[in-house]
Amino acid sequence: MDGMIIWLVIMIPCSALLTGLGIYAWRRKKPMWFWSGSTVKEEEISDIPAYNRANGIMWIAFSLIFWASTIMGVCNMALAGVVMIVGCMIGAPLLVIAYNKIYARYRA
């Protein structure tokens, strides 16, 4: 029981943070960046609302791994850990690939 509470205290904010990042990206008026410390200039993007929407969807989709793992932790902690590890190992590189495709699609 204590492990599940710790799991939820950690996972709910992490899941919400990624979902919030997706919502923020979706609603942002200026182009959303991907890498920490980098910027995307408005002149670089042909359709800023569509570019930001695609970024938002990308982050929200990634957050679903965290939400699924959070919910699974209530029933089966071992399965939740496996889902989180495998999801991040596959999901993190897919984020880079997805972002590069988004950027290439909307680059002016």
Side-chain angles (χ1 to χ4, degrees), residues 24-32 42 48-49 52:
Y24 174 75
W26 193 315
R27 293 183 176 180
R28 189 171 157 84
K29 301 296 180 208
K30 294 184 179 186
M32 185 65 181
E42 292 182 44
I48 294 172
N52 284 344

Side-chain angles (χ1 to χ4, degrees), residues 39-62:
T39 58
V40 178
K41 296 178 182 154
E42 292 182 44
E43 301 83 39
E44 293 179 46
I45 305 300
S46 61
D47 185 356
I48 294 172
Y51 168 81
N52 284 344
R53 186 173 41 256
N55 266 298
I57 291 169
M58 175 187 73
W59 284 110
I60 291 169
F62 185 62

Side-chain angles (χ1 to χ4, degrees), residues 17-108:
L17 179 70
L18 289 170
T19 302
L21 180 61
I23 293 168
Y24 174 75
W26 193 315
R27 293 183 176 180
R28 189 171 157 84
K29 301 296 180 208
K30 294 184 179 186
M32 185 65 181
W33 60 91
F34 181 74
W35 301 105
S36 175
S38 69
T39 58
V40 178
K41 296 178 182 154
E42 292 182 44
E43 301 83 39
E44 293 179 46
I45 305 300
S46 61
D47 185 356
I48 294 172
Y51 168 81
N52 284 344
R53 186 173 41 256
N55 266 298
I57 291 169
M58 175 187 73
W59 284 110
I60 291 169
F62 185 62
S63 77
L64 294 177
I65 297 168
F66 284 73
W67 285 115
S69 183
T70 301
I71 294 166
M72 286 179 195
V74 174
C75 301
N76 186 337
M77 193 65 80
L79 180 61
V82 169
V83 167
M84 177 54 62
I85 290 169
V86 172
C88 286
M89 287 176 60
I90 295 170
L94 286 178
L95 275 176
V96 175
I97 293 167
Y99 177 75
N100 286 331
K101 287 184 178 187
I102 292 167
Y103 183 77
R105 181 176 182 188
Y106 294 105
R107 184 176 37 197

Side-chain angles (χ1 to χ4, degrees), residues 1-21:
M1 184 67 174
D2 290 338
M4 182 177 59
I5 292 171
I6 293 170
W7 180 260
L8 294 175
V9 165
I10 292 169
M11 292 303 296
I12 290 173
C14 290
S15 303
L17 179 70
L18 289 170
T19 302
L21 180 61

